[in-house]
Amino acid sequence: MTNMIDEIKDQIIEYLPEKVKLAKVEFEGPEIVIYTKNPEINKDHGDIIRALAKKIRKRIIIRSDKSVLSPPPETIDKVEEIVPTDADITDISFDDVTHEVIIESRKPGLVIGKYGTTSREILKQTGWTPKILRTPPINSETIQRIRLSLKRNSKERKEFLQKLGKRIRREPMFDNDWVRLTSLGGFREVGRSCLFLQTPNSKVILDCGVNVAGIDEKTAYPFLNVPEFNLQDLDAVIITHAHLDHTGFVPYLYHYGYDGPTYCTTPTRDMMTLLQQDHLDISHREDKPLPFNIKDVKETINKTITLDYGQVTDISPDIRLTLHDAGHIVGSAMAHLNIGDGKHNFLYTGDFKNEQSRLLGTPKQHFARIESMVMESTYGGREDNTPTRNTAEKELVKAIYDTIQKGGKILIPVFAVGRAQEIMIVLEEFINRGILGKVPVYLDGMIWEATAIHTAHPEFLSNELQKQIFHAGENPFTSDVFNKVTNNEQRRKLLESNEPCVILSTSGMLTGGNSVEYFKELCEDEKNRIIFVGYQSEGSLGRRIQKGFDEVPLEKDGVTQLFHINIEVTTIDGFSGHSDRKQLMEYVRKLSPKPDKILVCHGDAYKALDLASSIYRTYKIETKTPLNLETTRLQ
Amino acid sequence: MTNMIDEIKDQIIEYLPEKVKLAKVEFEGPEIVIYTKNPEINKDHGDIIRALAKKIRKRIIIRSDKSVLSPPPETIDKVEEIVPTDADITDISFDDVTHEVIIESRKPGLVIGKYGTTSREILKQTGWTPKILRTPPINSETIQRIRLSLKRNSKERKEFLQKLGKRIRREPMFDNDWVRLTSLGGFREVGRSCLFLQTPNSKVILDCGVNVAGIDEKTAYPFLNVPEFNLQDLDAVIITHAHLDHTGFVPYLYHYGYDGPTYCTTPTRDMMTLLQQDHLDISHREDKPLPFNIKDVKETINKTITLDYGQVTDISPDIRLTLHDAGHIVGSAMAHLNIGDGKHNFLYTGDFKNEQSRLLGTPKQHFARIESMVMESTYGGREDNTPTRNTAEKELVKAIYDTIQKGGKILIPVFAVGRAQEIMIVLEEFINRGILGKVPVYLDGMIWEATAIHTAHPEFLSNELQKQIFHAGENPFTSDVFNKVTNNEQRRKLLESNEPCVILSTSGMLTGGNSVEYFKELCEDEKNRIIFVGYQSEGSLGRRIQKGFDEVPLEKDGVTQLFHINIEVTTIDGFSGHSDRKQLMEYVRKLSPKPDKILVCHGDAYKALDLASSIYRTYKIETKTPLNLETTRLQ
């Protein structure tokens, strides 16, 4: 067996100009890291390095040998000299392990420079490789903690990446005769999404969620106890987006000994950390302990490798992963797996929204190849057609306007991630255009933190929004129409005021959280309005209100009281992050090339079957709706 | 955890009369063995013991404590005194480990006696438990070797059975929430049948065959290298019938460390041993070594537990197995699995013939419960309808008669097991009825030995045949119309003779063996006839002859020569051991109760799909045609 590192090192030496002194070539996870005593090569021979990377189909990172690193104080001076003041650097720190200078800036684009020139100049002059991070315009504790954790674990992480680099490049032992997919959760149901993909050489998990509505471990968690699944042999975990039904069980894998990577986008990593921590908090409060703890959430952070959309990455000897925009929530992705050097190509859509929204981009529809696909069917039933985004927005604005006119308050219960930000952008625009007056918008609960994470990743938002933020310098999220509510004093004050206002609060279905508290205060006054913009599940308080109950018993001050519902109740469909039936069918219609086989998941049995049968009848593509625990041959 | 042995011992003590002295109660595999110092209880309290067995739903065997065994010479005298001379005892031997006296007899029924009285009298008077075996009217080397091997391994076998007894009765660790079936071979194809059934508590293999037409290990052997399959966790191997496409890979399991049981009927054990040995011989001759050797075939014998049709047997903490007649070849069975105390009932048909034949019984069609079923589809295509057995027989006799009249010889190439014996019975009857004169029938190759094995197991033959053998004392297989051919001298003689004759010889498709040698000698004379009674696969010499080739190149005396085909060529359908399309559909129609789900296997992709779709359309039962390596949820 040839040593792949040596082989690649030989290729690099052959390729680079003679005077370049290579100190070391290493694999760090999927990337190749070149340590050199001439860090200027990156600047002076950038084209050669890019051409080399393309030739060997690997990402190449240039770092300096220890001997050529400038002392940190001198480096700080150099960085401040090279980078324009407008970049608004907030922090500079050093990583001794990776020889990186970590520069946090409010305008990271200016630290990178056009085509990366500024960044390469820093490397050339100081020896330190710049790692450039955005300082979010709204401070996010989650992101701070994540960045700190990664900084502290730099040494362990490097060892992990080096080990992983070798593992990914181990010699394949078998021919790629087949690809199988086992449904471990989220098939003919919504919740605990988990796909287990095997080839003769690799084993990969796609999503690993929990069903928060599950009543016991058999209904809440994926079926990880099947004999073919075994943590030691797992090559990779791939996460399509941050919601708990796709990420809630990832820490469990680490708790029970998984020590491999989790691949996802940076916003997904940040957002899933927030949601996993919150899940642990709630479970703790409700005295329903989860089978893992906060250490495992941290371990997940330390073992996560973030990928950009479109970045092709080797994750095992025979699988290359590429994430593509899915338009569901910030950082949400479709996962494309190129297996056995293109022998089979598999697409897992994850949750996706096949419609332009204000917040996000649209899902990718054109691929080089797809032979098989797994797609969601949350709204896959023939009756699941919702109004367009445009109609929904108009209804929303009209409802809010009417209530403001009456001097009432508007409560919008929302999920913290996705829906809340979508509504915020609509509100900000209509307030700015003077249509809703200067009505204040209050954000309560986790919404603020989730919004902060959005502001750290503008590259993952819609083009329109990026234009607004980068070019016009107008970030709707930092608008002063939004007010953060963090304590009861603030809550009391806003409720006591006679001014109309809009309150966005979690939970989205009034199953707990501050939205219920607001409801109690607002529900008996007919001037007020509650607006539902998301799905209300059967049995939830939200559902009962939607149905038109006259009164509901709720606890207040430790006593159960009857609350009369005089508040105006409005439901607006069309803000969902999921494609409706038309959009699902339309996605398959426009998808190119068409897969040979489509498996339908993430939907109630009836909806999954209905969508599968419609796709088969309309497009003559073989469809399947596996049960959990079934294994389907993809190739 | 309660000790099940103790629990059952308590039940037995409570149940039996006070004076009975229990020395020991042990599990030997699925059976309970009671060692007692009063062996007479079996005779005097037979009803109580049968009632007890029924109550605890286990088979009970009574054996004596060592202290009360008579000395062997005395025992032989006693046996000869008790058993009537007509029983024709051929051998008496002793097993010190099991305290059994092994009595081989030409008429074992007379050793057993009416309702077992004679046998129980032997136990009462000598202390030894009689194990009564039939001395086959045609001597079988295979059976001799198997019986000898079991005798020699008695001690190891007892230890194996005791260990197994405990394993079967281990406490179930999980709830029986699901049953899954993975297709490891023989799906959408014929050959290498292998089903892997898992519950949360057990793992079972049903059939483990090879595809003798496979070109390499990927096409010839089942997919045992899937991660969910692991020899250490395997509870049981169940074999439905002896053909190599269902049994050829069983020795491999033992070679790689399986040390659990194989369950099948006695004829299946004997016949599969013959076929496995032959497979090794041929592979050796052709220098294509198999991944196991003769030791593993012996190990298979020693680990096999034989079951009668209808005998309910615990094979794991949550699975009870019952074999039922399948009518395919002698000893062939359908396997019924009662899972989780009746929570789910699964039927695997194996290969089956849904038509009364002369040789065998018909498949069972009424069950207490079936929720899911796997059925074969060898002739499942809509065009796969064959003449009735009756029509086929008439055609056969007519063809033979015509050739005899012309003074020619008739060559019938046949598979050694099943088809050969079916044809023998037809010939014997028509010769005896004077329709075909006194034409001699020559049996060449493995046919004789396979026939000998049939004669050892008349209980597994058709009722008609049993009547003929037991009551009329006329065993068609021992008729003097049949002549055994074992050497070239005999072959030369029968070919040189001017007398007409019928020659049955293997292989059935003229792909090797003596049938080809006979063909070379007979094919150029138009007086002779070759009759095909079985399937000729594409590319075989048989197929080319069937198609009407004028000449074929064949090797003779080390040189390839052209042979002109003047021999009359006749093909007679209708002798197949497989159900044709009508019979398959008819089986489902009559089956009661109807399963909720039917999986179709053991047929070319087109035939499997066609049968599945017809069953769905006709009976509205959900059908599936999984690919190899797929896993289907049964419950």
Side-chain angles (χ1 to χ4, degrees):
Chain A
M1 195 181 123
T2 54
N3 181 327
M4 203 181 275
I5 285 264
D6 289 344
E7 219 173 75
I8 285 186
K9 194 171 171 179
D10 290 347
Q11 274 186 294
I12 290 169
I13 289 170
E14 196 184 312
Y15 219 77
L16 289 178
E18 261 180 57
K19 57 162 190 165
V20 173
K21 292 174 201 142
L22 284 189
K24 238 185 339 190
V25 176
E26 289 182 340
F27 282 119
E28 283 191 11
E31 293 167 344
I32 292 176
V33 182
I34 299 180
Y35 286 88
T36 170
K37 292 184 181 175
N38 323 71
E40 68 276 12
I41 57 163
N42 197 23
K43 183 155 170 62
D44 301 346
H45 303 291
D47 294 344
I48 294 183
I49 289 161
R50 275 192 295 278
L52 175 61
K54 203 171 169 186
K55 182 167 177 255
I56 61 176
R57 298 173 92 173
K58 315 263 173 272
R59 271 196 296 168
I60 294 179
I61 291 174
I62 307 284
R63 293 195 191 137
S64 307
D65 185 60
K66 204 175 177 68
S67 61
V68 299
L69 296 178
S70 302
E74 195 180 298
T75 302
I76 291 177
D77 290 347
K78 278 274 166 60
V79 168
E80 285 175 350
E81 193 186 304
I82 297 166
V83 177
T85 330
D86 282 357
D88 202 351
I89 291 175
T90 57
D91 192 56
I92 298 178
S93 60
F94 295 86
D95 188 328
D96 282 347
V97 179
T98 59
H99 304 172
E100 285 172 322
V101 53
I102 302 163
I103 305 169
E104 296 193 46
S105 144
R106 293 209 193 279
K107 293 194 175 155
L110 295 178
V111 189
I112 296 165
K114 213 170 188 180
Y115 306 118
T117 44
T118 314
S119 159
R120 283 202 293 273
E121 188 63 33
I122 296 170
L123 172 60
K124 181 175 176 177
Q125 289 197 32
T126 69
W128 297 87
T129 305
K131 178 175 173 183
I132 300 151
L133 300 175
R134 179 182 303 274
T135 312
I138 302 179
N139 181 47
S140 159
E141 277 179 36
T142 312
I143 291 179
Q144 274 182 344
R145 271 203 302 269
I146 291 170
R147 289 179 181 175
L148 191 64
S149 175
L150 289 172
K151 223 179 273 182
R152 283 195 184 142
N153 280 279
S154 186
K155 191 155 168 282
E156 292 75 12
R157 188 167 163 94
K158 185 168 175 178
E159 282 163 13
F160 158 70
L161 288 173
Q162 286 178 330
K163 212 176 110 191
L164 176 63
K166 283 187 195 139
R167 187 170 153 78
I168 290 173
R169 276 144 195 116
R170 69 187 185 269
E171 206 64 27
M173 290 177 66
F174 306 100
D175 290 344
N176 270 70
D177 293 326
W178 47 261
V179 180
R180 321 202 278 161
L181 185 82
T182 305
S183 325
L184 297 184
F187 282 74
R188 299 210 197 179
E189 65 179 355
V190 175
R192 58 166 168 176
S193 284
C194 193
L195 285 67
F196 180 48
L197 184 137
Q198 306 163 55
T199 77
N201 295 298
S202 308
K203 292 180 179 54
V204 167
I205 283 271
L206 296 115
D207 286 344
C208 194
V210 295
N211 184 349
V212 286
I215 47 167
D216 59 19
E217 58 181 34
K218 282 183 191 172
T219 49
Y221 308 145
F223 291 90
L224 296 181
N225 59 344
V226 294
E228 60 264 45
F229 178 73
N230 137 12
L231 285 170
Q232 277 62 49
D233 296 340
L234 192 60
D235 285 286
V237 174
I238 299 164
I239 295 297
T240 57
H241 73 278
H243 282 149
L244 285 177
D245 60 332
H246 295 251
T247 65
F249 222 48
V250 176
Y252 175 93
L253 301 175
Y254 290 102
H255 187 82
Y256 282 95
Y258 176 54
D259 64 352
T262 292
Y263 296 94
C264 61
T265 63
T266 317
T268 296
R269 178 196 63 191
D270 297 347
M271 207 65 95
M272 87 176 167
T273 304
L274 172 66
L275 294 173
Q276 286 165 352
Q277 281 171 341
D278 184 58
H279 190 210
L280 275 170
D281 288 347
I282 292 174
S283 307
H284 188 70
R285 263 203 311 274
E286 295 181 350
D287 201 21
K288 292 176 192 159
L290 294 173
F292 53 84
N293 57 53
I294 191 72
K295 275 188 202 159
D296 307 310
V297 174
K298 284 188 185 148
E299 183 67 3
T300 308
I301 296 168
N302 292 331
K303 296 283 166 69
T304 293
I305 294 174
T306 57
L307 303 179
D308 288 334
Y309 292 144
Q311 178 184 333
V312 183
T313 304
D314 293 323
I315 61 167
S316 84
D318 59 351
I319 301 183
R320 276 201 286 275
L321 165 69
T322 317
L323 299 179
H324 298 284
D325 199 349
H328 174 63
I329 62 169
V330 64
S332 67
M334 298 188 166
H336 181 277
L337 271 56
N338 170 316
I339 300 165
D341 227 355
K343 202 167 169 189
H344 189 86
N345 292 271
F346 168 72
L347 180 70
Y348 170 42
T349 65
D351 294 359
F352 70 100
K353 177 67 172 180
N354 186 22
E355 184 186 23
Q356 180 67 54
S357 69
R358 286 178 177 264
L359 188 63
L360 303 168
T362 49
K364 184 170 169 82
Q365 301 199 306
H366 300 283
F367 297 84
R369 281 180 60 187
I370 315 174
E371 276 82 34
S372 64
M373 167 162 118
V374 172
M375 74 184 287
E376 67 132 318
S377 61
T378 320
Y379 292 116
R382 58 189 66 238
E383 71 289 0
D384 292 331
N385 284 316
T386 50
T388 62
R389 210 45 94 112
N390 202 16
T391 310
E393 287 183 6
K394 280 187 189 152
E395 282 182 48
L396 178 70
V397 171
K398 195 172 167 304
I400 293 173
Y401 182 84
D402 286 353
T403 301
I404 293 172
Q405 293 306 312
K406 291 184 199 154
K409 290 179 166 44
I410 299 111
L411 171 63
I412 308 180
V414 277
F415 303 108
V417 179
R419 208 73 49 97
Q421 290 72 32
E422 184 75 28
I423 301 291
M424 283 170 71
I425 295 173
V426 177
L427 293 179
E428 197 268 347
E429 179 180 318
F430 283 92
I431 291 168
N432 268 356
R433 281 164 57 192
I435 295 169
L436 292 178
K438 284 275 173 234
V439 64
V441 178
Y442 294 99
L443 307 178
D444 200 328
M446 219 169 54
I447 298 168
W448 191 270
E449 178 63 18
T451 304
I453 293 175
H454 280 76
T455 66
H457 304 293
E459 332 66 71
F460 284 87
L461 301 176
S462 69
N463 289 337
E464 197 52 46
L465 215 45
Q466 286 189 45
K467 251 186 246 163
Q468 206 177 321
I469 295 168
F470 292 134
H471 300 295
E474 284 166 9
N475 191 331
F477 295 122
T478 60
S479 160
D480 57 12
V481 308
F482 300 119
N483 303 278
K484 182 179 180 182
V485 182
T486 53
N487 57 49
N488 281 332
E489 175 59 21
Q490 289 172 322
R491 272 169 215 123
R492 198 186 45 75
K493 237 169 117 183
L494 83 87
L495 285 165
E496 279 173 3
S497 136
N498 282 327
E499 290 294 299
C501 69
V502 178
I503 305 161
L504 269 62
S505 179
T506 55
S507 67
M509 302 194 289
L510 297 165
T511 48
N514 284 321
S515 57
V516 182
E517 301 309 315
Y518 286 112
F519 177 74
K520 289 182 207 162
E521 298 296 329
L522 300 174
C523 71
E524 304 206 325
D525 188 341
E526 60 191 22
K527 282 209 309 292
N528 297 329
R529 189 191 291 261
I530 182 166
I531 303 179
F532 293 106
V533 292
Y535 180 72
Q536 305 298 307
S537 78
E538 205 54 54
S540 63
L541 175 56
R543 188 91 181 96
R544 277 176 289 159
I545 299 167
Q546 250 187 342
K547 276 186 177 170
F549 278 42
D550 285 338
E551 45 187 36
V552 286
L554 293 169
E555 212 178 270
K556 193 177 179 185
D557 306 326
V559 195
T560 301
Q561 306 178 13
L562 262 192
F563 285 81
H564 299 278
I565 304 180
N566 302 319
I567 191 170
E568 201 152 349
V569 179
T570 305
T571 296
I572 300 177
D573 290 329
F575 283 109
S576 173
H578 293 279
S579 307
D580 71 2
R581 161 72 173 227
K582 258 197 328 275
Q583 291 161 356
L584 289 167
M585 289 298 285
E586 193 62 12
Y587 184 76
V588 178
R589 191 178 74 79
K590 287 215 180 133
L591 185 63
S592 88
K594 295 273 183 289
D596 303 325
K597 194 183 272 191
I598 296 179
L599 278 63
V600 176
C601 70
H602 202 286
D604 296 341
Y606 151 71
K607 294 181 195 279
L609 289 163
D610 194 39
L611 179 66
S613 118
S614 296
I615 290 172
Y616 173 70
R617 278 184 283 107
T618 312
Y619 306 115
K620 305 292 170 228
I621 298 171
E622 183 188 346
T623 56
K624 284 202 168 191
T625 49
L627 295 163
N628 285 330
L629 286 175
E630 290 198 317
T631 303
T632 305
R633 194 84 181 261
L634 301 179
Q635 178 209 312
Chain B
M1 196 181 121
T2 54
N3 181 326
M4 204 182 273
I5 285 267
D6 288 343
E7 219 171 77
I8 285 185
K9 196 171 170 180
D10 289 346
Q11 274 186 296
I12 290 168
I13 289 169
E14 195 184 314
Y15 219 77
L16 290 178
E18 263 180 54
K19 59 165 190 164
V20 173
K21 291 173 203 144
L22 286 188
K24 240 185 336 191
V25 175
E26 289 182 340
F27 283 119
E28 283 190 11
E31 294 168 344
I32 292 175
V33 182
I34 299 179
Y35 287 86
T36 170
K37 291 184 182 177
N38 323 73
E40 67 278 11
I41 57 164
N42 198 22
K43 184 154 166 61
D44 302 345
H45 303 292
D47 295 343
I48 296 183
I49 290 162
R50 276 190 296 276
L52 175 61
K54 204 170 169 187
K55 182 166 178 256
I56 60 177
R57 298 171 92 176
K58 314 263 174 270
R59 271 196 296 169
I60 294 178
I61 291 173
I62 307 284
R63 291 190 193 144
S64 308
D65 185 63
K66 204 175 177 70
S67 61
V68 299
L69 297 178
S70 302
E74 197 179 300
T75 303
I76 292 178
D77 289 347
K78 278 275 168 57
V79 168
E80 286 176 349
E81 195 186 304
I82 296 166
V83 176
T85 330
D86 283 357
D88 203 350
I89 293 175
T90 56
D91 192 55
I92 298 178
S93 61
F94 295 86
D95 187 326
D96 282 347
V97 179
T98 60
H99 303 174
E100 285 172 322
V101 53
I102 301 161
I103 304 167
E104 296 194 44
S105 143
R106 293 208 192 279
K107 293 193 174 155
L110 294 177
V111 189
I112 297 164
K114 213 169 188 178
Y115 305 119
T117 43
T118 312
S119 159
R120 283 202 293 274
E121 187 63 32
I122 296 170
L123 172 60
K124 181 175 176 176
Q125 287 197 32
T126 69
W128 296 88
T129 304
K131 178 175 175 183
I132 299 150
L133 301 173
R134 180 182 303 274
T135 311
I138 303 178
N139 180 47
S140 158
E141 276 179 38
T142 312
I143 291 179
Q144 274 183 344
R145 271 203 302 269
I146 291 170
R147 289 180 181 174
L148 190 64
S149 175
L150 289 173
K151 223 179 272 183
R152 283 194 184 140
N153 279 278
S154 186
K155 191 156 169 285
E156 292 75 10
R157 187 166 164 94
K158 186 170 174 177
E159 284 162 11
F160 158 69
L161 289 173
Q162 287 177 330
K163 212 176 109 190
L164 175 63
K166 283 187 196 139
R167 187 170 153 79
I168 290 173
R169 273 142 200 120
R170 69 187 186 269
E171 208 63 27
M173 291 179 65
F174 307 100
D175 290 342
N176 270 69
D177 294 326
W178 47 261
V179 179
R180 321 202 278 162
L181 185 83
T182 305
S183 324
L184 297 184
F187 283 73
R188 299 210 197 180
E189 65 178 353
V190 174
R192 58 167 168 175
S193 284
C194 192
L195 286 66
F196 180 47
L197 184 136
Q198 305 164 55
T199 77
N201 295 296
S202 310
K203 293 181 177 54
V204 167
I205 283 271
L206 296 116
D207 286 345
C208 194
V210 295
N211 184 351
V212 285
I215 47 167
D216 58 20
E217 58 180 34
K218 282 184 191 172
T219 50
Y221 307 146
F223 291 90
L224 296 181
N225 59 344
V226 293
E228 60 263 46
F229 178 73
N230 139 9
L231 285 170
Q232 278 62 49
D233 296 339
L234 192 60
D235 286 285
V237 174
I238 299 165
I239 295 297
T240 58
H241 74 278
H243 283 150
L244 285 176
D245 59 334
H246 295 251
T247 64
F249 223 47
V250 177
Y252 175 93
L253 301 174
Y254 289 102
H255 187 82
Y256 282 95
Y258 176 54
D259 66 352
T262 292
Y263 296 94
C264 62
T265 62
T266 317
T268 296
R269 178 197 63 192
D270 297 346
M271 207 66 94
M272 86 177 169
T273 305
L274 172 66
L275 294 173
Q276 286 165 352
Q277 283 171 340
D278 184 58
H279 190 210
L280 276 170
D281 289 346
I282 292 173
S283 307
H284 188 71
R285 262 202 314 272
E286 296 180 350
D287 201 21
K288 293 177 190 157
L290 293 173
F292 53 85
N293 56 52
I294 193 70
K295 274 188 203 159
D296 307 310
V297 173
K298 283 188 186 149
E299 184 68 2
T300 308
I301 296 168
N302 292 331
K303 295 282 166 70
T304 294
I305 294 175
T306 57
L307 303 178
D308 287 333
Y309 292 145
Q311 178 183 333
V312 182
T313 304
D314 293 322
I315 62 167
S316 84
D318 61 349
I319 302 183
R320 276 201 286 276
L321 165 68
T322 317
L323 299 178
H324 298 285
D325 199 349
H328 174 64
I329 62 168
V330 65
S332 68
M334 297 189 164
H336 181 277
L337 271 55
N338 170 316
I339 299 165
D341 226 356
K343 204 168 169 191
H344 189 87
N345 292 271
F346 168 73
L347 181 69
Y348 170 42
T349 66
D351 294 359
F352 71 100
K353 177 65 172 180
N354 187 22
E355 183 187 25
Q356 180 66 54
S357 69
R358 287 177 177 265
L359 188 62
L360 302 167
T362 49
K364 184 171 169 80
Q365 300 198 307
H366 301 283
F367 297 84
R369 282 180 59 187
I370 316 174
E371 276 80 35
S372 63
M373 168 163 118
V374 172
M375 74 183 287
E376 67 131 319
S377 61
T378 321
Y379 292 116
R382 57 190 66 239
E383 71 288 0
D384 291 330
N385 284 316
T386 49
T388 61
R389 210 46 94 112
N390 201 15
T391 310
E393 287 184 6
K394 280 186 190 152
E395 281 181 48
L396 177 70
V397 170
K398 196 172 166 304
I400 294 174
Y401 183 86
D402 286 352
T403 302
I404 293 174
Q405 293 305 312
K406 290 184 200 156
K409 289 181 167 42
I410 299 111
L411 171 62
I412 309 181
V414 277
F415 302 109
V417 179
R419 208 70 52 96
Q421 289 73 32
E422 184 76 27
I423 300 290
M424 282 170 73
I425 294 172
V426 177
L427 294 178
E428 196 269 348
E429 179 181 317
F430 284 91
I431 291 167
N432 267 356
R433 281 164 60 191
I435 295 169
L436 292 178
K438 284 274 171 234
V439 64
V441 178
Y442 293 99
L443 308 178
D444 199 328
M446 219 170 52
I447 298 169
W448 191 269
E449 179 62 18
T451 304
I453 293 175
H454 279 77
T455 67
H457 305 293
E459 333 63 75
F460 284 87
L461 301 176
S462 69
N463 289 336
E464 197 53 46
L465 215 46
Q466 286 188 46
K467 250 186 248 165
Q468 206 177 324
I469 294 168
F470 292 134
H471 300 295
E474 284 167 7
N475 191 330
F477 295 121
T478 59
S479 160
D480 57 11
V481 308
F482 299 119
N483 303 278
K484 181 179 181 181
V485 183
T486 53
N487 58 48
N488 282 331
E489 174 58 21
Q490 289 172 322
R491 274 172 211 119
R492 198 185 47 72
K493 235 168 118 183
L494 82 88
L495 284 165
E496 280 174 2
S497 137
N498 282 326
E499 289 295 297
C501 67
V502 178
I503 304 161
L504 269 64
S505 179
T506 54
S507 68
M509 302 196 288
L510 297 163
T511 48
N514 284 320
S515 57
V516 183
E517 300 309 313
Y518 285 113
F519 177 75
K520 290 180 205 163
E521 298 296 329
L522 299 175
C523 72
E524 304 207 323
D525 188 340
E526 60 191 19
K527 280 208 313 291
N528 298 328
R529 187 190 292 261
I530 183 167
I531 304 179
F532 294 107
V533 292
Y535 180 72
Q536 305 298 308
S537 78
E538 205 56 53
S540 64
L541 174 56
R543 187 91 182 96
R544 277 176 288 159
I545 298 167
Q546 249 186 344
K547 277 186 178 169
F549 278 41
D550 284 338
E551 47 188 33
V552 285
L554 293 169
E555 209 178 274
K556 194 177 179 184
D557 306 325
V559 197
T560 300
Q561 305 178 14
L562 262 193
F563 286 81
H564 300 278
I565 304 181
N566 302 319
I567 192 171
E568 200 151 350
V569 179
T570 305
T571 296
I572 301 176
D573 291 329
F575 283 109
S576 172
H578 294 278
S579 306
D580 70 4
R581 160 71 172 228
K582 259 196 329 276
Q583 292 161 357
L584 290 166
M585 289 298 285
E586 192 62 11
Y587 184 76
V588 177
R589 191 178 73 79
K590 287 215 179 134
L591 186 62
S592 86
K594 297 271 184 290
D596 303 325
K597 195 183 270 193
I598 295 179
L599 279 64
V600 176
C601 71
H602 202 286
D604 296 341
Y606 152 71
K607 293 179 195 279
L609 289 163
D610 193 39
L611 180 66
S613 119
S614 296
I615 289 173
Y616 173 70
R617 280 185 284 104
T618 312
Y619 305 115
K620 304 296 171 224
I621 297 171
E622 183 188 345
T623 55
K624 286 203 165 188
T625 49
L627 295 162
N628 285 331
L629 285 175
E630 291 199 317
T631 303
T632 306
R633 194 81 179 264
L634 301 180
Q635 176 208 312

